Every structure is written in C-alpha cells, then in structure tokens.
Amino acid sequence: TGLSTGQRVVTVQKGPLYRVRGSHVTLWCKVSGYQGPAEQNFQWSIYLPSAPEREVQIVSTVDPSFPYAIYTQRVHSRGIYVERVQGDAVLLHITELQDRDAGEYECHTPNTDERYFGSYSAKTNLSVIADTLSASMVPQVLTRAEGEAVELTCEVSKSTTQHTHLSVGWYRLQGAGVSHVEEVLTLSKDFVLRPGPSYAQRFLVGDVRLNKVGNTTYKLFIGELQPSDWGQLYCEAAEWIEDPDETWKDISRKQTERMSLAVTSQGKGRDLSVDIAAAESSLSEGDTLQLNCKVGAQKSSSRHFQVLWLLNRVEVARVDPYGVLILEEEYEERAKLGQLRAFKQSNTVYVLTIYEVGLKDSGIYHCSVSEVKTSGDFHSIQTNLSSGIQVDVKPIESRMRLSVSTSTPQVVAGDALTLLCEVQGATSPVSVQWWHLPPQHLGPRVLVAAMEQDGTLSLGSVYQDGGTWRSLRLEKASSGTFTLVIPNTLDENDGGRYGCKVTESSRGQSWTKEGETAVTVSSMALGLHATLRSRIVTVRYGQSFELDCQVSAGYAFKEVPVSVGWIFQPSSPTGHYHKLVQVLPNGTMNWGTAQPHFQGKAQLTKAATSFRLHIHNAVAANEGTYQCEVEVWRRNALPQGQPAATTRSNAVGIKVVLPESKLQVATKESTVEIAGGADTTIECRIMFAQNNSQFAVTWYHVRSPSADATPLQIVRADYSSVLEYGSEFSLPAQKSRFLSQRVSSNVFWLQILSADSSDEGRYYCVVEEWLWLVDGWYKLGEATSGRTMLEFKLPEHELQLEKTNHSISVREGEEMTLRCQLQGARLPTTRLSATWFRGREESSHVRPLLTLHHDGTIKYPQGSLAGRLYLRCPTTGDFSLMLRSVEESDAGAYLCEVQEWQQQSEGKSWALRALARSGYTRLTTIPP
C-alpha cells in the first residue's frame, strides 16, 4: 500500500454487512503502526442514512460521556458495549439489533503518536434485514421397539432477498440439561452431510440418513433403533451469508419443538410387559396428575416386582416388592406437604399421583419394572421400561382484561375527580390499587388507595392525614367495577396520571394487569380576570357615580364561592390603599374602618359576573383611585382560610370637582408715601365672593424692586382669624409693628407702626376662599391683590457718611470691626438712630442685623446674632459694628444707615429729619 514504518493504520471489518433484526452483532476494529502505549483507545460512531453527513457518537473505551442521548441507555445497560480482544483490537457488540442501527459505522482511534501520520479511522456499512428463517416440527411422543425404524420431518424455509445458504441439523437431548445434547446428523451450508460421533458408523452403513423432499422438507431416517436412541429430538436450522471478506456468518438460528422417542427392549425368553397411562396428559398449573403403571406377566400374583417412576429419565419415586415407597429428596418434601403420593394398588397396578402440578412437572414419564426372585432380593431377573408418556403442564393464563377511564378528564381545582377501573374475565376475587403520578413529577408513583380481595380498604401514606382526603372514596360498584372518587381537588398537583393495578390470585399464583388514564386539574387562577370601568371619572361635588367590576374566568364562575372587595386610595400624596368593603360568599358585608364616611353612602349590587359600587353625593374625600379585588374558593369546599385564587382589577381614578370659586380681589396698583416713624395702613379689598364663604388672608412684602425678588410672608390670618407670622417677622419686635385686621366683611388692613426705611417696598395680599361642605372645610380658590408701593419721603437735609466700598478678610473665630462714622455737625435738639444691614453687594436685597432707635433701645431682628454684635460709641456718632467670633456664615456685604430725628414740639412725635447710607464693606472669612 506504500505505507512506511510508523504510519498508523486503522482497519475495520469490511462491508457492506447484512445482519437480521434482533440478532447479536459484532464488528471488529484494530490499529497498527502506532506509537505510544500498547493499549489503544477506540471510539465508535454511526452516520445514519437520514443524515449521512452527521456523526452520531455511540460508545468509547475512554470517555463514559461519549454516547449521544439516543444511545446512552443502551450503552449503560450493556445493550451496546466494546470488548477488548487485545490492546490494539476490539469488538463492538450490539446485543439486539434494531432497524435504526443501520448505517455507516466509523471506528476512530485517538492520537497517541508524536505527530499525525497515517489513518486514524475507518468505516464500514451495516444493513438491517428482516429475520425470515422458520423451522417447525410436529411435537409428538413415539414409542418404538428395539430394531425398528423411525422417520422424523422438519420444515425449514426462508425468504431473504440476499444470497444465503441453509444448514439443517438433528439433535438428541437426554436428561434435563443442555450438556446432554448430542448431534445426530447435519446438512451443512456447503451441502455436506456430517454425522455426530455416536452415529458415524451407522451413517456409513446407511442406518442414519437425511433426505430433502422439495424446497422446505427435511427428513431424518434412523433404522435399527437401539435402546440408547431414547430421548428428545429436535431440528435446528441456520441461515448463513458470505461477508465481503469471504467468510461465512450465521445470521439467524431457529430450533423446533421437541418430540419424545422411547425404545423398548425385546429380550429373548421374557414375558414381562409394562404399560403406562395417564388420566390426563395435558394439564394446567394446579391440576392433579395421575399415572397408572400396569405390569403384564404370567402368574403375576406369585411373582415379585419393583417399580421405578421416572421423569425425563430421572428417578422420582420407587416402590419395592413390599410396597414401601422410597422418594428422592425433592419429592419427599412435596409428599410431606400432601402434594405427591405413590402406592401399590395391586401386584400388577401401581399409581403415581401429583397434586397441584407445576411447570417443572412437565416432561416424559416412564415406568420401569424389575422382577426379583424374592421380596428381599434386589437383583433383578429381568427389567422392562414402559414407553414414555408426554405430560404437558401449561401455565394458568388469566383471561383478565382491564380498562381504566375517567368521566372528569378536565376539571378545575375544587371539582371532583371520578375514576373508573373495569375488570373483565377474572375468575377469582381481585385486589385493586390506585396510584397517582402528579404532572411534571419525576419521582415514584404515589399509592392513593387499595382494596383487598376481602373488601378491606386502606389509604396511601400521603392520604392518611384526614382533612381534605377524609371524604376520598374507593367503591366496588359490581364484581368487576371499581370507582375512585376524589370529591374535592386541591390544585394542579391533583392532575397527572392515575393508574389502576388489579391482581388476581388463584392456586398460589397471581396475575396483574395495569392501566392508567390522564386528568388535568386547572388552577382557579386560570383565566381569572377583573376589569373595572366607570362611565364618568370626573364628578361634580354632590353628584353620584358608579364603578362596574366585570369578572371573567376559564370555568363556570357563577358556580364557585366568590368574595368581592373594594379598595380605595385617597388622592393625597401620602395616601395608601384602604379596604372600603368586602362582600363575602354568604352575602355578609365587612366595612373597613379607615374610610368610615363611605358606609352610609355606598350601595353594592351584583348581576351575574358584574359587581357594582354606587357612591351617592360625592364629596372631596371620595376623590382617589378605586380597585376591586376578587377571591374565589374551590367549588365543593367551605370558603374558609386562604382563597384558591385572587385577582385585582385595574385602577380607576375618580376626581371630585368642588364648586367653582367666584372670588375677585382689587388688583389696582397704588403708592403710599410716608415720613419716617409714622404709622401707615395697606388695604386688601374683596370685590366679589360666594355667600357663606370664609377667607384666609396672607400679607407679603417685597423689599427689592427686581422682578425675581422673593416675597417675604409677613402674617397669615386663616378663616378662623388665627395668625401665623413668617420667619422674617416672627420676633416680638416685628409682631408688634405689623398687625392684620379685618375691618369689614370684605376689607382687610395691614397696619405698620413706626415705619422706617427698612419697611420700604411692595406690599400685597393673597386671599383664599374657604367653604364648609358637609364633611369639612374646602378651599375653593385664591386671588392676589395689586401691589401697594410704600415709599419714604426723604428730608432735604442729608447726613454725611463715607460712601467708599471696602473689602476685609478675617480668620474664623477672631473679632472684627466694621466702620460707620457720622461726619459733620448736627443740631443739639436732634437724636440719631442707626441700622446695620447684611446682603449682597450687587443686590439691593439686604436684611437688618441690629437697629438702635432714637429713644436708645436696641433691637436684633436676627436674634441668633444678639450675643455677638455690639455698637462702639453711639453717643459720639460712631456707630461702628463689632462682630465677635467670626463664623463662615458671616461672610457677605455689610452697610449701615444713620437717621436723624427731631421732635416737632413738646409732647409731639419725633419725625425723620435726615438719613444716609454708607458704602459696602465686603467680609471674607478664612478657615482656621
């Protein structure tokens, strides 16, 4: 082939090969020219005709996980295995060839060489053909005398389309074991006759020969029978095919049934004859066998006989001339149990009786009679063997038939299951077992219930805990009809497969039949769905509205216990779902406690699968989100405990619209100009509102003229006249100067006492309209007034303060001083006041920190700074500000304002004569 030394070669049995279905097949494979270990590994695969390009792995000598799924079970059970003949040669065994085993087989050897060189796999084709070989012979019992001839006929045929040869052989079996099989004569596949060793001489002289008559008939002729020819004879045919490697392979073998041949001796001068007879030779298990052995001899009454009973030439029992019974060990035990009896009825009649025969009692029985001179003499004068009688004991075949069915193949949890097991043809009482295999369950079957032959009932361990299973029933409706009823299924796990196992017992044997049926138990959640609708979702105050909850399910919804609950989530941001009401299956209504106002105005109705909630005279508290919740229980169970299924509908939002507000407030802009220290009033006038309305008024002050300036709340008077001051006006000094007053039903005033320059800016009011509506106060709307600008009339005289801006940096925790020094002279009859502000330099929005009034009082609008702010020397016109323990939050722009006041006359009020503001001082803090 041109291969060099060291080149790997894999060789497989040459194909194509033809083998019959059901036979044991082997394929050899070997490797040569390899390197590495002496023991090589092999892997077998197949390419099926349906997918000739796809490799399907079968078995490996090295990798247990090598087989594909379709071969895993057969490999694990050794239906397919590899036999190692030697280190580099193996046999693939397929113990029972199947049609799907046809294809192209590949034998592969994993590489153990230093490099790839040569072939590592080889392929062969295997075809699976039908087994058409048949061989038959009529079973019979023949008795021939010594020296006579016998002819036996065997019918052999085949219809294989491939070219095959036949071989036909005859064999003789003596005794019970196959080791006693002896070849008589065989016609080989090469058409050569070959006698067995014991028949070679007789074959040569023509006393043993085989004749073929026609295409299918083979006849064996034995002349000059000898006593040694007794036994059971059968015919064996084999079909052979020539493989491509020119070797012949037997692809099928068939044996016929056996026939019995007995050869009687014909000694000279003997007058002893023996006959055997059976009351019945074809029996069934459990029947009684009776055999009679009759001895024929002249003057038999004065002669002495010993009788042996033989089964397949093996001694069963012996009766001596005295009538004493001697038994073999196996039969002695049966005699003690009353199953066997042998006795001497007379000097010429002997009886063997076997009660309750079994399969092992089948065979050929002989009676052997030996004559002795005296009763105590055991040396026989003559012996004769009866012809054989064939006794066949057939197994008792039960005619029992079984059918399992159900009238409830598909139910919903809570429905009853009814299962029927019908037994026909049973001749004895039967026991019944019901088992269950839940869906998707891979474990063993579970025993449900059993009924013994006497009617005793028992439940499986899983079903013994009472409760739901207490009403499970297993009934015997008639002699062959058994019904299992599970009145109340729990869930889907009660579905699956239910089986009935019936056992019939008779004469120590039992026969079992099994059948099963499938049922489906659907969850009550199957198709359970609730849809909530409302014709209107926006209702006016006092109007009624209705919610409709439509329920559907994948079963007869109206026939199961149903509970419907209504839940509600108020529209407030922190609202949670609360139970409004639940209608139980018995009609009882349980009202929730979180929303008690619903109980007196809600109406519940039901129509088929529609559940409705009607709310009368809607109020604002009815505004929110509604849902219905449906609970169902199993059909035949009391609605207790947890429901079998629950569903919640979609959410529907209901908005309750309050009465429309008609509130109108005067929006005209105005300006008020006052002198410093004077009192002033800002008016808020309601132009129009509904009758019975109450009002809440909130006053605001905007110091900065910029459009984006933040309004500061001064004070709010609610509809009960309760005052609430804003954070900037919460100190007692501010509360005493800003007063809110209701002058009439539609006019509100804000009074500002002793106004100063820090009070300049725009003022306005926000009016809220409130109305009492059955269950509480509701805000209908609000309106904002026009702005009133408060301005101070500045005097002609002006004080002198330094206007230059400065910047300073101070380390946190240290002390600082901000300069504010009045320059120039002033009249001795005047008094001074000063205010320090802090804000942003680029904005006019500043906040007062400290105010020294002209009467000498000091006020701290920001009380938190009172302990750290001091004025240096006000009496000399030095209003410099000292700030102790500077903090990071103190950073900003500071300025001071000085005002000059003069009393108009004795006892009169003080009036502002002049004022001035300093420049900014920007403070930057430095971390410690």
Side-chain angles (χ1 to χ4, degrees), residues 882-895:
M882 296 170 56
L883 177 58
R884 294 180 177 176
S885 300
V886 173
E887 299 176 356
E888 182 182 3
S889 60
D890 293 332
Y894 291 78
L895 63 89

Side-chain angles (χ1 to χ4, degrees), residues 221-296:
F221 175 83
I222 304 177
E224 295 292 331
L225 284 171
Q226 301 175 8
S228 60
D229 291 330
W230 71 273
Q232 299 181 66
L233 284 87
Y234 64 90
C235 169
E236 181 180 272
E239 186 175 8
W240 299 77
I241 192 168
E242 186 177 20
D243 287 341
D245 61 1
E246 298 184 355
T247 62
W248 286 86
K249 169 65 179 173
D250 55 330
I251 59 174
S252 179
R253 286 184 176 271
K254 297 291 174 64
Q255 287 186 4
T256 66
E257 294 187 61
R258 300 169 185 174
M259 58 82 61
S260 295
L261 175 63
V263 181
T264 58
S265 300
Q266 298 295 328
K268 296 180 180 179
R270 298 175 183 173
D271 63 347
L272 185 63
S273 65
V274 180
D275 291 317
I276 187 171
E280 180 64 50
S281 62
S282 181
L283 306 172
S284 296
E285 286 181 281
D287 290 346
T288 298
L289 170 65
Q290 181 173 319
L291 297 172
N292 293 332
C293 182
K294 187 173 183 181
V295 180

Side-chain angles (χ1 to χ4, degrees), residues 590-635:
N590 290 336
W591 290 91
T593 58
Q595 302 288 332
H597 58 276
F598 275 94
Q599 185 169 356
K601 57 194 311 181
Q603 180 182 357
L604 300 167
T605 58
K606 175 188 176 183
T609 58
S610 175
F611 301 85
R612 295 179 180 176
L613 172 65
H614 188 93
I615 303 294
H616 298 275
N617 299 323
V619 296
N622 301 141
E623 180 174 300
T625 303
Y626 293 80
Q627 284 183 288
C628 65
E629 188 173 61
V630 180
E631 298 176 337
V632 294
W633 281 264
R634 293 188 299 277
R635 191 189 314 271

Side-chain angles (χ1 to χ4, degrees), residues 523-526 528 555 563 630-634 642-647:
S523 167
M524 297 203 72
L526 177 67
L528 183 62
Y555 45 88
S563 166
V630 180
E631 298 176 337
V632 294
W633 281 264
R634 293 188 299 277
Q642 293 296 320
T646 301
T647 187

Side-chain angles (χ1 to χ4, degrees), residues 760-829:
E760 277 189 317
R762 292 170 292 168
Y763 291 82
Y764 67 93
C765 69
V766 175
V767 180
E768 301 170 6
E769 183 180 16
W770 291 79
L771 190 65
W772 175 264
L773 297 174
V774 182
D775 57 341
W777 286 95
Y778 291 92
K779 179 181 174 181
L780 302 185
E782 65 178 37
T784 302
S785 71
R787 267 57 170 173
T788 299
M789 176 63 72
L790 179 63
E791 296 179 347
F792 278 84
K793 184 178 180 182
L794 297 177
E796 298 177 358
H797 176 67
E798 186 175 353
L799 299 176
Q800 296 296 317
L801 287 176
E802 184 180 357
K803 300 291 186 180
T804 306
N805 295 334
H806 300 279
S807 295
I808 62 173
S809 297
V810 179
R811 191 173 300 278
E812 294 174 21
E814 295 182 354
E815 182 180 291
M816 74 162 187
T817 301
L818 300 173
R819 304 293 297 174
C820 182
Q821 178 68 51
L822 183 65
Q823 300 173 356
R826 61 181 179 87
L827 295 174
T829 58

Side-chain angles (χ1 to χ4, degrees), residues 12 17 25 27 43-60 66-72 74-75 80 92 94 97-108 121-128:
V12 73
L17 301 174
V25 174
L27 299 176
Q43 295 175 337
W44 286 91
S45 301
I46 186 174
Y47 296 84
L48 300 173
S50 58
E53 301 300 323
R54 178 171 175 263
E55 178 187 8
V56 180
Q57 298 174 178
I58 301 175
V59 66
S60 169
F66 183 78
Y68 278 11
I70 60 172
Y71 287 103
T72 301
R74 294 173 70 185
V75 171
I80 297 177
L92 172 66
I94 303 176
L97 192 65
Q98 303 176 12
D99 287 333
R100 61 174 177 167
D101 294 328
E104 185 179 38
Y105 285 75
E106 180 180 43
C107 174
H108 174 75
S121 65
K123 295 181 179 179
T124 188
N125 274 293
L126 174 65
S127 296
V128 180

Side-chain angles (χ1 to χ4, degrees), residues 495-510:
R497 308 198 69 80
Y498 284 85
C500 176
K501 179 180 178 181
V502 178
T503 302
E504 179 184 13
S505 300
S506 176
R507 295 181 177 179
Q509 295 195 57
S510 61

